[in-house]
């Protein structure tokens, strides 16, 4: 809109008529002209009568969604805590720990799981929780798996199934997302943008529900007015989550009660050392890879943008269930008691031994050489990122700036746990255990091992 729009129209009524006319013109053009650069991953969504993909790609919420609230005020402190929560991403890292925290506090949990049948979905969920040592058989009565797909219209449900689900849950925690810095924006449309749109559709259906959106600090540049450029590493992921937050903001204007949790780098559990099942994220691969390599990079920064998964999940669930007067706020995170990178690396060296801290350029050269020689190693998984950094930008790989939002967790509110010797020891032990398990699997699947076990001769 031009800056002089306030002078062109004499009053709000005339201005609104003009804007409506322009929007109708845009709508007619979008119906007649299919969106460019469509991918097979979003074909189903585009052909659905439930979704206007042109609007969704811009972060626009369906205008028909309304919510059971006269105002957009936060839920009253005396409101009952949720009895049944829908969790997306329950078989992922963050989602699994959130499910555990809810179950351990006696809340019923509906877990949306992509599978071919209920039995497969149940197995996937239990296996994930068992992998992280989070499962207990006493949780069975509290868990209900819902077979679906968050990237599809109605979350992959039939209209009747969607309506039933809307009547069964009184809160939603949307933690499911595609998390990857290296993909184009189009890859995130279904899992990150459509999913949020359909979660809000569910919130607008049936009984009133609070919505809890797990987001990322990658959206903060957009909130600060610094646009992410397409050549930025986090452009696709950060933009997709920003558009999801935009939809949530629109829903608030219509009465939904919702909170956003912008997660920093999420690291291993401080109590068990468990890290992401799919070999971890960037920070984990840097640490595990450095242990393998025998050296750590010297980085001038701290771990203030890094928090353990058990702290993150426990804090989110505490607000969802106990600190409910805060629902409606958006939260950023900071670890004010975080150690410096080099101090953390020294703690790992003291426990494991055999490593050293070297200048970043020296470490980078060693790491890239090691990654090339060991294509399945942790360093190989992040080699393409490491290759683009110089020493002066090395710490920025992980270190974030000061939180932008008004409500910051991890300092006085919900203090972050200390990273002490016990925490580091558990983490190192889990890394070494995982490395041994992988070696055993590779050995068991090698032709020599198979032939030896069978008493045969290998060629």
């Amino acid at each position: 809109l031009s800056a002089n729009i306030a002078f062109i129209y004499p009053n709000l009524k005339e201005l609104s008529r003009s804007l409506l006319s322009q929007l109708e013109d845009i709508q007619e053009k979008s119906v007649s002209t299919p969106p460019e650069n469509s991918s097979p991953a979003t074909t189903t969504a585009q052909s659905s009568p439930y979704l206007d993909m042109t609007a969704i790609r811009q972060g626009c919420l369906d205008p028909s969604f309304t919510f059971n609230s006269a105002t957009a005020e936060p839920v009253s402190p005396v409101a009952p805590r949720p009895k049944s929560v829908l969790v997306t991403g329950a078989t992922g890292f963050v989602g699994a720990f959130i499910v555990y925290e809810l179950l351990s506090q006696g809340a019923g949990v509906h877990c949306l799981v992509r599978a071919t049948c209920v039995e497969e979905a149940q197995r996937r969920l239990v296996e994930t929780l068992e992998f992280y040592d989070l499962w207990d058989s006493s949780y069975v009565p509290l868990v209900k798996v819902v077979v679906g797909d968050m990237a599809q219209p109605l979350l992959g449900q039939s209209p009747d199934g969607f309506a039933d689900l809307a009547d069964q849950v009184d809160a939603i925690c949307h933690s499911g997302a595609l998390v990857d810095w290296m993909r184009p924006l189009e890859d995130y449309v279904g899992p990150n943008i459509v999913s949020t749109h359909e979660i809000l559709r569910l919130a607008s259906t049936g009984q009133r529900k609070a919505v809890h959106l797990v987001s990322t600090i990658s959206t903060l540049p957009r909130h600060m007015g610094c646009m992410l450029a397409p050549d930025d590493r986090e452009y696709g992921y950060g933009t997709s989550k920003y558009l999801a937050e935009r939809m949530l903001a629109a829903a608030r204007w219509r009465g939904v009660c919702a909170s956003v949790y912008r997660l920093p780098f999420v690291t291993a559990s401080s109590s068990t050392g468990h890290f992401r099942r799919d070999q971890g994220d960037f920070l984990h691969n840097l640490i595990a890879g450095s242990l393998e390599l025998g050296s750590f990079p010297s980085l001038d920064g701290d771990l203030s943008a890094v928090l353990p998964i058990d702290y993150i999940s426990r804090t989110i669930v505490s607000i969802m269930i106990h600190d409910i007067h805060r629902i409606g706020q958006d939260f950023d995170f900071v670890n004010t008691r975080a150690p410096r990178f080099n101090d953390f690396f020294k703690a790992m060296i003291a426990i494991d031994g055999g490593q050293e801290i070297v200048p970043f350029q020296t470490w980078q050269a060693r790491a890239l050489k090691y990654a090339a020689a060991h294509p399945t190693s942790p360093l190989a998984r992040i080699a393409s990122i490491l290759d683009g950094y110089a020493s002066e930008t090395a710490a920025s790989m992980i270190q974030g700036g000061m939180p932008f939002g008004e409500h910051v967790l991890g300092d006085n509110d919900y203090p972050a746990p200390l990273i002490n010797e016990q925490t580091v020891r558990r983490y190192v032990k889990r890394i070494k255990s995982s490395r041994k398990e992988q070696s055993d699997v590779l050995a068991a699947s090698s032709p020599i091992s198979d032939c030896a076990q069978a008493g045969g001769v290998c060629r």
Side-chain angles (χ1 to χ4, degrees):
L1 300 177
S2 62
N4 64 348
I5 191 170
F7 304 103
I8 298 175
Y9 304 99
N11 53 54
L12 287 175
K13 187 174 183 180
E14 293 300 319
L15 172 60
S16 62
R17 283 177 176 172
S18 174
L19 293 175
L20 178 59
S21 176
Q22 293 181 51
L23 290 170
E24 289 173 342
D25 290 342
I26 293 172
Q27 177 67 17
E28 289 178 4
K29 292 177 181 177
S30 67
V31 171
S32 60
T33 305
E36 298 179 355
N37 301 322
S38 61
S39 68
T42 57
T43 300
T44 302
Q46 288 178 352
S47 62
S48 168
Y50 292 100
L51 301 179
D52 178 353
M53 292 304 299
T54 300
I56 285 175
R57 280 184 168 83
Q58 298 173 11
C60 298
L61 192 64
D62 190 313
S64 68
F65 292 1
T66 57
F67 302 89
N68 296 332
S69 175
T71 70
E73 293 297 319
V75 173
S76 167
V78 298
R81 76 178 202 169
K83 297 179 180 178
S84 186
V85 182
L86 173 67
V87 178
T88 65
T91 57
F93 186 48
V94 175
F97 277 81
I98 288 175
V99 168
Y100 164 74
E101 291 294 339
L102 288 166
L103 292 175
S104 65
Q105 298 193 44
V109 184
H110 287 63
C111 299
L112 185 71
V113 180
R114 189 168 52 191
T116 57
C117 62
V118 172
E119 290 74 18
E120 180 189 350
Q122 182 81 29
R123 176 181 57 78
R124 283 191 63 202
L125 176 65
V126 173
E127 284 182 353
T128 300
L129 295 175
E130 285 179 339
F131 180 86
Y132 294 125
D133 294 329
L134 302 175
W135 178 249
D136 189 292
S137 58
S138 63
Y139 296 152
V140 171
L142 297 173
V143 178
K144 180 176 181 180
V145 294
V146 180
V147 177
D149 186 344
M150 67 181 185
Q152 296 300 320
L154 304 182
L155 304 175
Q157 306 288 298
S158 67
D160 289 343
F162 189 82
D164 289 343
L165 180 61
D167 287 332
Q168 292 175 22
V169 298
D170 50 10
I172 303 170
C173 182
H174 184 29
S175 66
L178 172 62
V179 182
D180 191 330
W181 286 359
M182 306 300 287
R183 295 177 183 239
L185 176 59
E186 187 65 27
D187 287 2
Y188 300 98
V189 170
N192 293 6
I193 306 176
V194 170
S195 65
T196 303
H197 187 273
E198 296 307 277
I199 284 297
L200 291 171
R201 184 195 300 275
L202 188 73
S204 72
T205 307
Q207 62 180 329
R208 176 189 170 97
K209 306 169 191 64
V211 178
H212 303 267
L213 175 65
V214 178
S215 190
T216 171
I217 56 173
S218 294
T219 68
L220 291 182
R222 298 292 295 262
H223 290 283
M224 297 172 69
C226 304
M227 305 300 284
L228 288 170
D231 58 348
D232 290 331
R233 292 183 184 275
E234 70 272 25
Y235 173 77
Y237 175 60
T239 299
S240 71
K241 297 299 286 185
Y242 172 79
L243 294 175
E245 287 193 30
R246 226 176 120 170
M247 289 181 178
L248 199 74
R252 277 186 176 138
W253 279 91
R254 304 182 203 174
V256 77
C257 185
S259 283
V260 176
Y261 306 84
R262 299 190 184 102
L263 302 193
F265 283 86
V266 181
T267 191
S269 168
S270 61
S271 57
T272 66
H274 273 298
F275 50 88
R276 270 179 54 180
R277 184 174 188 173
D278 55 351
Q279 305 308 320
D281 53 18
F282 176 83
L283 176 59
H284 168 75
N285 283 311
L286 185 148
I287 294 171
S290 295
L291 285 171
E292 281 188 23
L293 182 65
S295 61
F296 286 88
S298 178
L299 298 177
D300 183 19
D302 60 43
L303 293 160
S304 59
V306 179
L307 284 164
I309 179 59
D310 49 342
Y311 163 80
I312 290 285
S313 59
R314 185 166 56 249
T315 300
I316 292 174
V317 171
S318 292
I319 292 174
M320 289 175 60
I321 292 183
H322 302 295
D323 213 359
I324 55 178
H325 69 280
R326 301 194 67 170
I327 300 176
Q329 300 173 353
D330 293 342
F331 302 99
D332 299 329
F333 290 82
V334 65
N335 187 351
T336 56
R337 302 195 290 176
R340 307 287 296 177
F341 278 112
N342 290 347
D343 291 336
F344 177 72
F345 294 156
K346 288 176 183 177
M348 300 202 81
I349 292 172
I351 290 171
D352 192 52
Q355 288 87 26
E356 60 179 344
I357 298 176
V358 299
F360 179 79
Q361 296 94 329
T362 303
W363 178 87
Q364 184 184 43
R366 292 181 185 177
L368 293 175
K369 183 178 180 180
Y370 186 89
H374 303 82
T376 61
S377 66
L379 289 175
R381 288 190 283 270
I382 60 174
S384 60
I385 302 177
L386 293 176
D387 197 23
Y389 279 96
S391 58
E392 63 270 14
T393 57
S396 67
M397 290 184 287
I398 302 153
Q399 188 173 20
M402 289 302 294
F404 176 70
E406 178 183 356
H407 307 288
V408 180
L409 305 175
D411 188 10
N412 295 326
D413 288 353
Y414 293 94
L418 286 172
I419 300 177
N420 52 28
E421 180 185 348
Q422 290 75 19
T423 303
V424 177
R425 188 176 297 278
R426 294 185 192 106
Y427 187 24
V428 171
K429 181 180 179 181
R430 191 69 63 180
I431 290 173
K432 297 176 74 171
S433 174
S434 176
R435 189 188 306 166
K436 183 178 183 304
E437 290 172 3
Q438 292 174 38
S439 298
D440 291 344
V441 169
L442 289 173
S445 62
S446 69
I448 294 177
S449 178
D450 291 342
C451 291
Q453 291 176 6
V457 177
C458 293
R459 289 184 173 88

